[in-house]
Amino acid sequence: MLSFDLSRFRLAEAAFIQCLIDNGAADGGTATASHGLTRVLLEPGFEMEVKRIYYTLSLAAAGYDEAGAPSGATGQFQLRFVFEVENLEEYSTTSEEFEGSFPIRDLMIMLGGVAYSTARGLVLGKTAGTPLAGFALPLRSPQELFQQSLQELEARDEPAAPKKRASASAKPKSVTTKRKPAKD
């Protein structure tokens, strides 16, 4: 993996887009003894012009009783992370398949790992005092997380390359990177 000048990187935003925690039953459900992550998806994006890299992290969790059966407690979380990279052009590349430059894979993996690790603390704090109290995201390899997420995005017919973001607004609209036309 490359060496990065981290003094030129900044986490500009880390925020919940969605946080839904349900005890699963009108009567309070059964006691939750343990928790598990049931879904994780890290969606990358970037905007080269303003030197920003974005991630949307979607998570789902479930609670389990003493016997390991679902307790009914569930959680759905979506978080947004924005990184500013002063020297993004130093960590970019091009491809014949896409127009323009885009961040290199090692940078995307590293910042995706930072986003996931930051989410661990944010979710732990958000679940305090709820049926999912104590829920912590498991440690994950950034490479594994990034690869799994790309495979899931490809499976739902998303482009394999990260999506460009049109603006840095609170909820940016997605603009897919344009593919060059195939040569005959």
Side-chain angles (χ1 to χ4, degrees):
M1 200 177 259
L2 277 171
S3 175
F4 297 106
D5 180 1
L6 300 178
S7 68
R8 299 184 72 188
F9 293 23
R10 183 173 85 85
L11 176 59
E13 180 183 334
F16 280 91
I17 298 170
Q18 176 186 48
C19 178
L20 301 171
I21 300 172
D22 187 359
N23 68 7
D27 64 2
T30 59
T32 298
S34 64
H35 315 93
L37 184 64
T38 59
R39 180 174 188 264
V40 60
L41 178 64
L42 182 66
E43 297 182 73
F46 61 90
E47 190 174 12
M48 295 297 291
E49 301 80 23
V50 293
K51 301 179 180 187
R52 288 187 172 189
I53 295 176
Y54 306 90
Y55 292 92
T56 300
L57 181 60
S58 301
L59 306 164
Y64 301 95
D65 65 17
E66 293 286 339
S71 68
T74 60
Q76 292 186 13
F77 310 94
Q78 193 172 49
L79 298 96
R80 178 172 186 253
F81 298 90
V82 179
F83 294 91
E84 293 176 346
V85 181
E86 287 178 29
N87 55 342
L88 185 55
E89 64 281 347
E90 293 176 30
Y91 305 116
S92 65
T93 190
T94 59
S95 170
E96 289 185 17
E97 294 179 36
F98 300 97
E99 292 180 14
S101 63
F102 52 91
I104 61 171
R105 183 178 180 87
D106 285 350
L107 177 63
M108 299 300 288
I109 289 171
M110 191 265 302
L111 290 179
V114 171
Y116 181 83
S117 293
T118 302
R120 294 183 78 238
L122 293 173
V123 170
L124 183 63
K126 196 61 107 168
T127 59
T130 75
L132 292 177
F135 170 66
L137 296 174
L139 294 175
R140 295 280 306 266
S141 155
Q143 293 88 352
E144 174 193 314
L145 178 62
F146 194 78
Q147 188 61 40
Q148 174 210 340
S149 293
L150 286 181
Q151 289 171 349
E152 188 172 330
L153 289 169
E154 287 172 348
R156 55 175 219 204
D157 295 324
E158 293 275 341
K163 295 183 278 186
K164 286 180 124 180
R165 298 290 187 182
S167 70
S169 64
K171 199 166 184 184
K173 70 176 189 176
S174 176
V175 178
T176 304
T177 305
K178 297 178 185 172
R179 290 187 179 265
K180 289 183 179 177
K183 294 180 182 178
D184 291 328

